[in-house]
């Protein structure tokens, strides 16, 4: 592979913003990739994939390059030189890359790969926590979370069938395969920009990981029900729920962020969905008005996001123990408050994209012991391990509320 100066410099600029200005990786790349209209899809994927790679392996590469944060430009070039060397790419004779100790880099890599926190490139506290909560399992889960995430589509049955979407994309030389156990999922065999296709613009599919698609499946909403998605965000799961309800009944999508609900409305229009109503949680009244009014409530709880490190590798550098403790408190409060919206005989589904028991089954066990959870019983729960599924790490627990006496 021949390195092009403008693409490497764009990568270095992106890394500077992510590491030194604490900007979100996906937002940084969205802006960087708009910089030069002459860049083709290969150029853009070089910048995006290289940036994400260096973000993912920041700790390992910094240790090999013997550089510390904050990274100045020469240090960012050193990180880049480590990436290129380990990927077998010949370094050009640019002044930024001169005197790169290629043999030493390979030797240091072999040496550091024997130590998990460097090999998997994670902070000490996270490595200790993972081992404490998951024991031997932590080794294979953190390794799986460092693999590149697949692109998975969720077909919208209101607009198209799985076969129609497959054929439409195949005509554009985008090949897909179905995923056992996920009736509406299609996995791309190779990465491609699906957002520019007519099928996407016409609402035939959304991009949603296979694990995330199992949430609405487990909730099993039926046409005509009233279902509340209590932490809807931009609404991937609300849209899935509405499509399973065949546009009949009501989905109330709630969130504390109004801008995310605006995005949900836009997506719903594209998908031909009109049974979603959005409500901003701007006071306790919003939840109070809905006490015992829902057949089913989904709490897709805020969490550490540890299960989705594949697609958000920068989040492991932004997390810290205090953040995690606060998140766990929030989860308990949300469970206590939002569970009240379930009618007698109705169901509550608690879900996170985390693999830590303290955010998952431990939260459910504690909730069932508290007064707020005493009317509920566990129907079933499901742990999705990245090392076994190949997809994101998820937890979901389905609870049933006792019928009224």
């Amino acid at each position: 592979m021949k390195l092009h100066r403008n693409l490497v410099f764009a990568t270095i600029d992106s890394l500077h913003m992510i590491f030194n200005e604490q900007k979100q990786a996906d937002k940084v790349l969205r802006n960087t990739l708009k910089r030069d209209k002459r860049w083709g899809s290969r150029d853009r994927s070089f910048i995006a994939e290289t940036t994400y790679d260096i973000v993912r392996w920041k700790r390992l590469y910094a240790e090999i390059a013997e550089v510390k944060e904050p990274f100045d430009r020469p240090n960012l070039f050193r990180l880049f030189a480590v990436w290129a060397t380990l990927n077998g790419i010949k370094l050009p004779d640019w002044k930024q890359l001169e005197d790169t100790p290629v043999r030493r880099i390979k030797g240091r890599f072999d040496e550091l790969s024997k130590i998990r926190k460097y090999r998997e490139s994670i902070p000490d506290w996270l490595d200790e926590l993972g081992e404490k909560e998951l024991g031997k399992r932590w080794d294979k889960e953190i390794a799986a979370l460092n693999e590149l995430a697949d692109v998975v589509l969720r077909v919208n049955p209101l607009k198209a069938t799985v076969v129609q979407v497959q054929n439409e994309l195949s005509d554009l030389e985008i090949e897909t395969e179905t995923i056992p156990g996920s009736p509406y999922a299609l996995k791309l065999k190779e990465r491609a920009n699906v957002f520019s296709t007519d099928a996407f613009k016409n609402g035939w599919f959304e991009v949603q990981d296979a694990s995330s698609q199992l949430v609405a499946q487990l909730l099993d909403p039926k046409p005509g029900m009233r279902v509340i998605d209590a932490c809807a965000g931009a609404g991937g799961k609300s849209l899935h729920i509405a499509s399973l309800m065949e546009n009949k009944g009501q989905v109330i999508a709630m969130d504390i962020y109004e801008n995310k609900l605006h995005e949900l409305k836009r997506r719903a229009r594209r998908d031909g969905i009109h049974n979603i109503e959005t409500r901003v949680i701007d006071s306790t009244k919003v939840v109070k008005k809905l006490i015992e009014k829902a057949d089913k409530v989904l709490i897709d709880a805020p969490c550490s996001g540890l299960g989705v490190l594949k697609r958000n590798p920068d989040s492991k550098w932004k997390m810290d123990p205090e953040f995690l403790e606060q998140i766990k408190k929030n989860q308990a409060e949300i469970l206590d408050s939002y569970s009240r919206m379930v009618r007698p005989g109705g169901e509550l589904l608690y879900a996170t994209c985390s693999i830590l028991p303290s955010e998952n089954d431990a939260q459910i066990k504690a909730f069932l012991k508290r007064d707020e959870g005493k009317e509920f019983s566990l129907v079933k729960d499901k742990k999705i391990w990245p090392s076994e599924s190949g997809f994101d790490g998820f937890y979901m627990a389905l609870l049933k509320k006792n019928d009224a006496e």
Side-chain angles (χ1 to χ4, degrees), residues 336 366-376:
D336 289 351
F367 170 67
L368 293 172
K369 282 181 186 154
R370 291 196 295 273
D371 279 356
E372 291 81 358
K374 66 177 187 291
E375 289 180 59
F376 288 86

Side-chain angles (χ1 to χ4, degrees), residues 341-387:
M341 296 188 285
V342 182
R343 66 161 175 79
E347 289 180 326
L348 171 70
L349 181 61
Y350 173 81
T352 75
C353 53
S354 175
I355 56 170
L356 295 176
S358 60
E359 295 184 82
N360 296 337
D361 28 346
Q363 282 287 17
I364 292 300
K365 281 181 189 135
F367 170 67
L368 293 172
K369 282 181 186 154
R370 291 196 295 273
D371 279 356
E372 291 81 358
K374 66 177 187 291
E375 289 180 59
F376 288 86
S377 51
L378 179 66
V379 179
K380 63 170 149 188
D381 70 351
K382 200 181 185 93
K383 293 174 183 143
I384 300 168
W385 301 107
S387 68

Side-chain angles (χ1 to χ4, degrees), residues 291-295 340-347 375 400-405:
I291 288 178
E292 298 199 340
K293 293 284 199 318
D295 297 299
R340 296 176 300 158
M341 296 188 285
V342 182
R343 66 161 175 79
E347 289 180 326
E375 289 180 59
K400 190 170 171 66
K401 190 172 184 177
N402 300 338
D403 272 310
E405 293 302 315

Side-chain angles (χ1 to χ4, degrees), residues 77-93:
F77 272 102
R78 282 193 189 97
L79 293 180
F80 179 83
V82 171
W83 172 84
T85 302
L86 295 176
N87 282 282
I89 297 164
K90 190 175 181 302
L91 292 171
D93 56 356

Side-chain angles (χ1 to χ4, degrees), residues 159-170:
K159 290 274 188 110
T161 65
V162 170
V163 173
Q164 275 176 306
V165 174
Q166 273 197 296
N167 292 341
E168 180 84 8
L169 293 177
S170 185

Side-chain angles (χ1 to χ4, degrees), residues 300-312:
D300 182 18
C303 69
S304 63
L306 199 56
V308 291
L309 281 186
K310 278 173 186 263
R311 62 192 71 255
N312 299 321

Side-chain angles (χ1 to χ4, degrees), residues 5-21 23 28-29 32 35 39 47 51 73 76-77:
R5 195 181 281 267
N6 62 340
L7 303 181
V8 173
F9 278 49
T11 302
I12 297 292
D13 292 343
S14 300
L15 291 169
H16 167 73
M17 284 186 273
I18 295 164
F19 291 152
N20 300 331
E21 294 179 11
K23 300 250 167 73
V28 167
L29 283 164
T32 301
R35 217 156 81 174
W39 286 338
I47 295 168
T51 302
R73 277 185 91 74
L76 289 171
F77 272 102

Side-chain angles (χ1 to χ4, degrees), residues 145-377:
L145 287 168
N146 270 324
E147 287 163 15
L148 192 61
D150 285 306
V151 179
V152 180
L153 315 179
R154 178 181 57 74
V155 174
N156 174 12
L158 300 175
K159 290 274 188 110
T161 65
V162 170
V163 173
Q164 275 176 306
V165 174
Q166 273 197 296
N167 292 341
E168 180 84 8
L169 293 177
S170 185
D171 290 346
L172 301 169
E173 295 181 350
I174 300 173
E175 298 304 326
T176 58
E177 58 193 25
T178 56
I179 297 170
S182 291
Y184 300 105
L186 285 174
K187 183 172 92 175
L188 265 58
K189 289 185 182 177
E190 282 180 16
R191 298 180 90 74
N193 179 12
V194 289
F195 298 115
S196 59
T197 63
D198 285 340
F200 176 74
K201 290 172 187 165
N202 295 329
W204 284 25
F205 64 82
E206 292 283 342
V207 173
Q208 186 181 4
D209 187 78
S211 301
S212 174
Q213 294 188 36
L214 296 174
V215 174
Q217 222 174 296
L218 184 60
L219 186 68
D220 192 26
K222 299 284 187 250
M225 281 185 169
R226 173 185 266 189
V227 179
I228 296 175
D229 183 355
C231 310
K237 296 180 186 74
S238 296
L239 297 169
H240 191 186
I241 290 164
S243 73
L244 294 176
M245 290 165 68
E246 300 164 14
N247 252 337
K248 296 170 187 143
Q250 183 188 31
V251 179
I252 300 175
M254 305 166 72
D255 204 88
I256 55 173
Y257 299 110
E258 193 169 6
N259 59 330
K260 289 186 178 180
L261 295 174
H262 281 312
E263 171 67 3
L264 165 54
K265 283 183 190 168
R266 194 179 64 74
R267 293 169 75 185
R269 277 196 297 276
R270 186 183 63 230
D271 288 2
I273 285 170
H274 46 71
N275 66 333
I276 294 180
E277 181 194 319
T278 59
R279 294 190 193 177
V280 184
I281 304 173
D282 50 11
S283 74
T284 53
K285 282 184 199 153
V286 181
V287 173
K288 273 187 187 149
K289 278 182 186 165
L290 290 166
I291 288 178
E292 298 199 340
K293 293 284 199 318
D295 297 299
K296 301 198 180 220
V297 172
L298 167 62
I299 295 177
D300 182 18
C303 69
S304 63
L306 199 56
V308 291
L309 281 186
K310 278 173 186 263
R311 62 192 71 255
N312 299 321
D314 54 327
S315 66
K316 62 185 168 182
W317 311 122
K318 297 188 172 128
M319 250 187 266
D320 58 33
E322 291 74 34
F323 165 79
L324 195 60
E325 285 313 307
Q326 188 54 53
I327 279 285
K328 289 192 283 200
K329 275 193 196 123
N330 293 355
Q331 288 165 348
E333 284 164 13
I334 285 171
L335 263 168
D336 289 351
S337 174
Y338 296 179
S339 59
R340 296 176 300 158
M341 296 188 285
V342 182
R343 66 161 175 79
E347 289 180 326
L348 171 70
L349 181 61
Y350 173 81
T352 75
C353 53
S354 175
I355 56 170
L356 295 176
S358 60
E359 295 184 82
N360 296 337
D361 28 346
Q363 282 287 17
I364 292 300
K365 281 181 189 135
F367 170 67
L368 293 172
K369 282 181 186 154
R370 291 196 295 273
D371 279 356
E372 291 81 358
K374 66 177 187 291
E375 289 180 59
F376 288 86
S377 51

